[in-house]
Amino acid sequence: MSNTKNIHKGLLERFLDLLLIALIIFMTLKGGTSGACAACKYQRRRCAADCPLAPYFPAEQPKLFQNVHRLFGVRSIVKILEKLDETQKPEAMKSIIFQSYVRDRSPVYGCLGVTQQLQYMIWLAEEELKAVNSQLQLYRSQPQNGQNQYQNQNQNQNHNHSQMIHELGGDNKQQEDVTSQQLDLGMGLNVNNNQSNIVTPFISPLLPVSQTQQPQMSYTYSCSEVNNNGYSPPAYNTDSGKEILTNNNNVWGGQKRFLYNVNNGGGFSNQNQSCHEMKSNNGVMAIQSQLVNLQMASNHQQVEEEEDGHEYDEIHQFLEIIDDRQSFADSKEAYASSSGGSLKEQIDEIGENELRSAATCFSLTSMN
Amino acid sequence: MSNYTNSPCAACKFLRRKCTSDCVFAPYFPPEEPTKFANVHRIFGASNVSKILHEVAPHQREDAVNSLAYEAEARLKDPVYGCVGAISVLQRQVLRLQRELEETNADLMRYASCLGSETTSAYGGRRG
């Protein structure tokens, strides 16, 4: 009986010891060695309880603060935060962190590069939509009985359209055949006939950022993904979500990439000129190739959405393909370069990388 | 080219310092555009901009400055979202267009398949 009691006592003591050890470990982990946020750690100062930056810069992600510090600086951030309400501060910080991250990955163009890529994507999508709508109109306007010959032509054209969509580039001649067929049928892109009426796909980068346009964006700010370097970029989810490049391979293989290259001196060249050049030089072929790319990008997007990738890897891979050598033209840019003259872009077909990157951007979820 | 004899650049004017011949800001902040540097300085700070310029290749500096000017102006207009707000708007537009494109393509395929079946039946009728 006494032995049993002793055994129980021993077990109880051991249990209590273990509990105490667990408690100590827990407190240590919770408090950390210093408890300072990433901002205070970087600045090597004591992190006060009311540190304004602590909520936004967890200690586990020092790189986030480093990016912000490099671009904005602490004083600037604090000044911005002071002018805002409590409800606006988290959103502002998220956008600042995001902007800094983009600048870190793309030191030359930053968010402006992304903006212009998106604008280009929009232009491409609109052009393709016009083409498809005009084709649809033709189908709808056909009499029900149909004329076999005309139907056959449409079938061929449609087949070519599908072929165009699925074909990985192909050669120019094939595309020319498709183009000429489409043009013969009065469909397709009316690019060459529209030179007097060139639509500028790029709008001024100084977009009217009005308050009314601002959505209540929801940033799914994830601090959980930490890579080996202790750096996890901000993660923003959208419906397009996972449309991030997973490979940098150019789907078009030998196809030339659509690049705006900064050859000399930099600066933003004339957008209208670039589009005009594109349309007059490569004409419909370039446009259609780009439209196919867009289609493929959207097809790929569906596949990507099903993948459960880590947000860090996605953003990391996406941003790796942002080519700092690209320049983005803007005819109405107030700060247009005065040096180096107009740039001669190498007008090539846009690769899948650029389309994906423009489409993905940074996965911002917006709520209206 | 020496800035010593010329008018000081917008940056040196703003900072009230001598604009030397090797002023890093001079090529990109002409004196005719004072607000450009003022905005950039307010948001990012002159030293940060200087560091960024030094990190970037010389032929890319102008693009870097222009993008910084754009971001600074966007941030001044919208202190909460800055240029990220515009990105969000554009991204939603891209998504909308892609969805619309998918639906339209689906319609097109439906029409094409309908016509295909009509043609087949027409041919079959002829032979039959």
Side-chain angles (χ1 to χ4, degrees):
Chain A
M1 185 74 172
S2 61
N3 281 341
T4 314
K5 273 189 183 174
N6 286 338
I7 291 168
H8 279 290
K9 199 176 175 186
L11 284 172
L12 192 61
E13 281 174 357
R14 253 188 238 167
F15 175 72
L16 287 172
D17 288 337
L18 283 171
L19 196 60
L20 194 61
I21 291 167
L23 196 64
I24 290 168
I25 292 171
F26 175 74
M27 293 300 289
T28 308
L29 284 175
K30 191 175 189 298
T33 52
S34 61
C37 66
C40 294
K41 263 189 184 173
Y42 185 85
Q43 298 170 83
R44 294 190 186 159
R45 65 179 192 193
R46 191 183 169 83
C47 190
D50 59 349
C51 173
L53 302 178
Y56 314 110
F57 298 107
E60 305 88 43
Q61 295 182 318
K63 189 71 167 81
L64 288 181
F65 177 75
Q66 284 174 29
N67 292 340
V68 171
H69 188 266
R70 265 176 69 189
L71 183 59
F72 288 90
V74 175
R75 197 164 57 174
S76 185
I77 299 294
V78 170
K79 259 198 279 184
I80 291 172
L81 285 179
E82 277 169 2
K83 295 176 189 170
L84 300 175
D85 299 332
E86 285 305 315
T87 50
Q88 293 174 316
K89 284 180 185 176
E91 291 299 314
M93 282 313 301
K94 284 174 188 172
S95 72
I96 284 168
I97 289 167
F98 188 72
Q99 193 174 334
S100 309
Y101 176 74
V102 173
R103 181 61 64 172
D104 178 53
R105 299 312 305 248
S106 175
V108 180
Y109 301 104
C111 286
L112 178 60
V114 175
T115 303
Q116 294 196 328
Q117 281 183 319
L118 284 172
Q119 288 171 345
Y120 183 72
M121 276 286 290
I122 287 167
W123 176 76
L124 278 181
E126 283 173 348
E127 288 298 313
E128 184 171 358
L129 205 56
K130 269 186 226 168
V132 175
N133 274 330
S134 62
Q135 210 166 346
L136 205 57
Q137 206 60 31
L138 201 69
Y139 277 124
R140 284 176 180 156
S141 63
Q142 286 174 9
Q144 286 304 317
N145 305 343
Q147 297 148 0
N148 289 340
Q149 186 181 1
Y150 195 55
Q151 286 174 4
N152 286 339
Q153 281 183 353
N154 285 338
Q155 275 186 332
N156 288 337
Q157 182 272 328
N158 202 29
H159 170 71
N160 283 328
H161 178 77
S162 310
Q163 197 177 1
M164 184 177 76
I165 288 174
H166 295 293
E167 187 177 355
L168 293 181
D171 55 8
N172 287 339
K173 188 174 184 310
Q174 210 166 3
Q175 290 175 353
E176 275 174 285
D177 291 338
V178 172
T179 304
S180 60
Q181 270 191 335
Q182 283 194 339
L183 288 177
D184 285 341
L185 294 171
M187 296 182 295
L189 299 170
N190 210 13
V191 175
N192 289 327
N193 297 331
N194 218 10
Q195 289 184 355
S196 59
N197 217 6
I198 294 167
V199 175
T200 308
F202 296 92
I203 62 179
S204 168
L206 299 174
L207 295 173
V209 185
S210 65
Q211 289 294 333
T212 54
Q213 285 183 358
Q214 296 309 310
Q216 290 178 359
M217 290 187 284
S218 162
Y219 297 78
T220 305
Y221 184 63
S222 163
C223 301
S224 59
E225 297 289 336
V226 180
N227 67 355
N228 293 333
N229 297 328
Y231 171 41
S232 172
Y236 301 95
N237 292 321
T238 59
D239 297 336
S240 69
K242 313 300 179 187
E243 186 176 338
I244 309 277
L245 284 175
T246 54
N247 66 73
N248 293 333
N249 294 328
N250 189 343
V251 176
W252 293 97
Q255 292 290 339
K256 292 175 277 185
R257 291 158 63 91
F258 193 100
L259 293 173
Y260 292 103
N261 283 329
V262 180
N263 289 330
N264 301 308
F268 296 96
S269 67
N270 191 316
Q271 268 298 329
N272 281 330
Q273 184 183 359
S274 70
C275 294
H276 180 74
E277 281 178 6
M278 178 174 74
K279 289 169 186 174
S280 59
N281 291 343
N282 291 350
V284 177
M285 292 187 297
I287 300 280
Q288 292 206 354
S289 305
Q290 289 149 10
L291 294 176
V292 177
N293 266 318
L294 183 68
Q295 183 70 32
M296 293 181 66
S298 59
N299 287 339
H300 191 85
Q301 172 188 351
Q302 292 168 357
V303 174
E304 288 293 334
E305 281 176 357
E306 295 166 1
E307 294 176 6
D308 186 19
H310 288 294
E311 286 149 348
Y312 169 70
D313 289 336
E314 288 167 351
I315 294 177
H316 181 80
Q317 286 161 0
F318 155 64
L319 286 172
E320 270 180 348
I321 61 98
I322 292 178
D323 187 351
D324 281 346
R325 288 170 297 170
Q326 295 176 1
S327 79
F328 300 92
D330 171 33
S331 59
K332 294 184 182 143
E333 169 60 75
Y335 308 119
S337 166
S338 56
S339 67
S342 64
L343 298 174
K344 206 150 205 204
E345 297 101 0
Q346 295 174 7
I347 308 297
D348 292 321
E349 289 153 2
I350 193 165
E352 188 183 8
N353 295 340
E354 279 76 13
L355 285 174
R356 282 180 179 171
S357 67
T360 304
C361 201
F362 312 102
S363 315
L364 301 173
T365 304
S366 58
M367 299 188 303
N368 278 330
Chain B
M1 189 168 95
S2 165
N3 281 333
Y4 185 70
T5 52
N6 295 340
S7 165
C9 68
C12 293
K13 260 189 184 172
F14 187 93
L15 299 170
R16 292 183 190 166
R17 66 184 193 190
K18 201 173 189 178
C19 192
T20 59
S21 57
D22 56 352
C23 173
V24 69
F25 298 118
Y28 317 110
F29 295 103
E32 302 85 31
E33 295 173 10
T35 47
K36 185 177 177 184
F37 181 79
N39 292 342
V40 167
H41 179 62
R42 263 173 82 179
I43 299 298
F44 301 118
S47 61
N48 287 343
V49 174
S50 173
K51 281 182 209 165
I52 290 171
L53 287 180
H54 280 113
E55 286 167 2
V56 152
H59 67 281
Q60 293 177 316
R61 284 177 184 169
E62 184 135 23
D63 285 339
V65 164
N66 288 337
S67 68
L68 286 170
Y70 163 69
E71 289 182 21
E73 181 157 352
R75 183 61 64 176
L76 285 168
K77 284 180 181 169
D78 183 6
V80 181
Y81 295 110
C83 61
V84 180
I87 289 173
S88 176
V89 169
L90 289 173
Q91 198 171 16
R92 280 186 298 142
Q93 205 172 340
V94 167
L95 290 176
R96 182 184 57 81
L97 283 169
Q98 283 178 345
R99 254 175 300 201
E100 198 174 334
L101 205 53
E102 281 167 17
E103 287 165 8
T104 315
N105 274 324
D107 283 345
L108 195 63
M109 291 302 145
R110 268 196 296 272
Y111 269 101
S113 59
C114 282
L115 283 173
S117 58
E118 279 176 14
T119 307
T120 310
S121 61
Y123 272 125
R126 273 193 189 175
R127 290 177 189 148

